[in-house]
Structures are given as C-alpha cells and as structure tokens.
Amino acid sequence: MSDHIRNTCPMLASPRCGAKTRSAGACRSPAVNGRQRCRMHGGAPGSDAPTANQNARKHGLFTRDAIAQRRQIQALLGEAQKLLEEMK
Ligand SMILES: [Zn+2]
C-alpha cells in the first residue's frame, strides 16, 4: 500500500447541487459549471427554458382587447335583456 495522500480538497469544495431528493435531503452531487444544479437535476446543457418565455402557451383569452370585447358583448346582452323585459 502506498502512503500517497490524495488531494481531493478542490473537488470537495466545488459547488453542490441542492435539489430535493426523494429521501427529503439535498442531492449533493457536484453542480455543472455555471449552474446551480447537477447534470441529473436540470444542469445538463439544453435542459433549461429559452429566454423570454417562448415555451409559454399563449391563447390570447386574457388580452386587453379580448376582455374589452367580452365586456361589450355582456353589456349588449344586458341591454337586450332589459328591452325584452320592457316588451313583456
Ligand atoms: Zn442534483
């Protein structure tokens, strides 16, 4: 057996992944360079979302124009209802 002492200090001092594991503890694997997580928890290249939220689903149901249009339709329906009540 050799008496060589391994220098593992830089490896142990590297930033660690802090993802929550199934056993409720932190992951503790080394984080990928420039990332907060390890390769298994979202640190892998290409695993993050693109900038400007390009993956978000946009249906336009809550745009200013769509809300205004719904309000106009509701107002028109209310007026029609009043007219029908008066005609009774
Ligand atoms: Zn991890």
Side-chain angles (χ1 to χ4, degrees):
M1 222 39 205
S2 83
D3 55 352
H4 175 72
I5 300 170
R6 288 181 180 218
N7 183 12
T8 56
C9 289
M11 189 177 77
L12 294 174
S14 67
R16 297 286 142 171
C17 172
K20 197 184 101 180
T21 59
R22 283 187 278 184
S23 60
C27 170
R28 294 185 296 181
S29 292
V32 174
N33 260 347
R35 305 257 183 148
Q36 300 265 318
R37 295 289 182 243
C38 72
R39 64 191 177 91
M40 301 300 287
H41 289 122
S47 66
D48 52 346
T51 55
N53 202 12
Q54 292 172 349
N55 283 341
R57 181 168 177 248
K58 291 173 186 164
H59 44 67
L61 196 62
F62 297 101
T63 59
R64 208 169 283 158
D65 292 341
I67 291 170
Q69 188 181 16
R70 283 196 298 272
R71 284 204 177 128
Q72 280 181 339
I73 290 170
Q74 286 301 317
L76 190 65
L77 285 172
E79 286 176 26
Q81 187 76 31
K82 279 180 193 169
L83 190 64
L84 285 172
E85 295 286 328
E86 288 174 12
M87 289 172 67
K88 277 185 183 175

